[in-house]
Amino acid sequence: WITPDLLLRYSADRTRYCDEVRLHQRAGINLLRVWGGGVSERNPFYECASEMGLFVYQEFWMSGDNNGRWAGSYSWPLDEAAYFANAQDTVRRLRRFAALLFWGGGNELFPRRLSPPVALEEIVHREDPGRFYIASSMDGGIKGGNMSEHDDEYALAPRDGPYTMLMPLSFAQRNPGLHANLTI
């Protein structure tokens, strides 16, 4: 899920959120990943997902595109105090929603020793104890896809894609970090 209204001018409308979430539900999708390169949606999004029985995998705002893996710097975010305060507020705001299945540190982060900051996981465990947290959506080396550099405890998958629908068994096989750490 990448917000359809990045400036959040229209998406605060509950009807619009429910309509957009319903499109996913009718397509047979049961898990929405709120991408780490985007924003955390407003409450009506999570309310609609909860009411319709969809799960949400919520990533924090960190991506391999800005944290040093492919671009930017591993020193990002520059103002860690503000970043962690926002992360704490977000966990406190979203932890009440039935749709929230688990937290992710960010999108395609690597290597583990540099990203995401350990404090992010500590915030999740303190503010939402018992809810699953995974540091990254994928790892697999600097370019991804290298199974020898994949760690199920750190990332869901060793590579990104495919950008198509997957049957449940195929999804579980492509995302060994999810299978190893989360039971539904």
Side-chain angles (χ1 to χ4, degrees):
W1 177 274
I2 299 173
T3 186
D5 179 25
L6 202 50
L7 298 177
L8 300 174
R9 293 178 300 162
Y10 307 109
S11 61
D13 178 67
R14 190 179 195 294
T15 301
R16 178 178 169 158
Y17 268 130
C18 286
D19 288 345
E20 291 170 352
V21 170
R22 190 174 295 106
L23 288 172
H24 290 80
Q25 179 197 43
R26 288 182 179 166
I29 294 170
N30 58 14
L31 177 97
L32 297 172
R33 171 187 171 201
V34 180
W35 178 59
V39 299
S40 300
E41 290 290 356
R42 295 187 178 183
N43 289 356
F45 168 81
Y46 303 93
E47 291 166 1
C48 295
S50 296
E51 291 167 12
M52 293 180 203
L54 274 72
F55 290 116
V56 174
Y57 157 26
Q58 178 67 53
E59 289 183 335
F60 290 97
W61 329 279
M62 192 169 280
S63 174
D65 299 320
N66 67 359
N67 83 321
R69 183 180 194 162
W70 293 297
S73 167
Y74 283 111
S75 63
W76 192 90
L78 299 178
D79 187 342
E80 284 191 341
Y83 184 87
F84 295 138
N86 280 302
Q88 178 176 287
D89 288 348
T90 298
V91 173
R92 288 177 176 174
R93 180 174 63 90
L94 300 183
R95 65 187 176 192
R96 68 185 174 95
F97 292 105
L100 182 61
L101 184 61
F102 65 100
W103 298 99
N107 173 61
E108 301 176 0
L109 306 176
F110 185 82
R112 181 180 204 147
R113 64 183 165 71
L114 295 173
S115 186
V118 175
L120 192 56
E121 183 174 4
E122 293 168 352
I123 289 167
V124 170
H125 289 309
R126 182 183 68 242
E127 299 296 335
D128 195 8
R131 184 139 9 221
F132 177 65
Y133 169 89
I134 192 94
S136 180
S137 59
M138 66 85 99
D139 56 4
I142 195 68
K143 294 183 180 181
N146 183 344
M147 277 302 290
S148 69
E149 294 193 57
H150 173 66
D151 178 356
D152 284 351
E153 298 294 319
Y154 174 73
L156 295 176
R159 62 186 178 277
D160 61 354
Y163 298 101
T164 62
M165 292 283 288
L166 292 174
M167 298 307 291
L169 181 58
S170 297
F171 182 83
Q173 290 169 341
R174 275 197 58 80
N175 294 279
L178 179 62
H179 177 71
N181 293 294
L182 185 65
T183 319
I184 300 174

